[in-house]
C-alpha cells in the first residue's frame, strides 16, 4: 500500500513539473506576440525566477521524508502568516496586501 502511494505521489509530482514547464513555454510563446514586448519579457524574467526555484525544489524531493518535511514547512509558514495577519487586524491595521 505504501509503495503504491509513493508511486502515485511521484506521478503527481512529475505531472505538476510538466504542467509548470508547459505554462512557462506557453508564456514565452505569448510574449513573442505581445504588443508591449518590454513588459512581456519583464514578466517572463519574473516567471523564470519562479519556475527555476520550483524546479530546484521539485528535483530535491526524492524521498517520502523530504516530502513530509516540505508539507510541515508549508503548514508552519501558513500558520505564522495567519497569526501575524490576525495580530495586525487586532491592532487596527486592516489593510489587504
Amino acid at each position: 500500500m505504501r509503495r503504491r502511494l509513493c508511486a502515485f505521489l511521484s506521478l503527481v509530482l512529475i505531472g505538476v513539473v510538466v504542467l509548470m514547464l508547459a505554462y512557462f513555454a506557453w508564456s514565452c510563446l505569448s510574449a513573442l506576440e505581445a504588443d508591449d514586448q518590454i513588459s512581456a519579457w519583464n514578466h517572463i524574467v519574473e516567471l523564470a525566477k519562479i519556475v527555476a526555484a520550483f524546479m530546484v525544489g521539485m528535483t530535491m524531493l526524492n524521498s517520502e521524508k523530504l516530502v513530509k518535511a516540505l508539507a510541515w514547512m508549508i503548514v508552519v509558514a501558513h500558520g505564522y502568516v495567519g497569526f501575524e495577519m490576525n495580530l495586525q487586524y487586532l491592532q487596527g491595521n486592516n489593510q489587504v496586501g
Side-chain angles (χ1 to χ4, degrees):
M1 180 70 177
R2 189 176 197 127
R3 213 172 259 218
R4 281 186 183 167
L5 180 62
C6 288
F8 175 73
L9 287 176
S10 294
L11 288 175
V12 169
L13 288 176
I14 290 170
V16 169
V17 168
V18 168
L19 288 174
M20 178 66 94
L21 290 175
Y23 175 70
F24 182 69
W26 189 264
S27 295
C28 289
L29 290 174
S30 296
L32 288 173
E33 295 295 322
D35 290 334
D36 186 4
Q37 289 284 310
I38 294 173
S39 178
W41 287 108
N42 285 338
H43 173 72
I44 294 298
V45 168
E46 294 300 317
L47 185 61
K49 293 175 188 177
I50 294 169
V51 170
F54 174 80
M55 295 303 295
V56 168
M58 286 293 122
T59 56
M60 294 182 74
L61 293 177
N62 55 9
S63 71
E64 185 179 353
K65 183 180 177 182
L66 291 175
V67 172
K68 285 182 179 181
L70 176 65
W72 276 109
M73 183 188 70
I74 291 170
V75 166
V76 170
H78 276 92
Y80 173 74
V81 170
F83 178 74
E84 287 295 321
M85 290 181 76
N86 275 327
L87 282 180
Q88 287 183 1
Y89 176 77
L90 292 173
Q91 292 171 352
N93 186 6
N94 299 342
Q95 296 179 358
V96 175

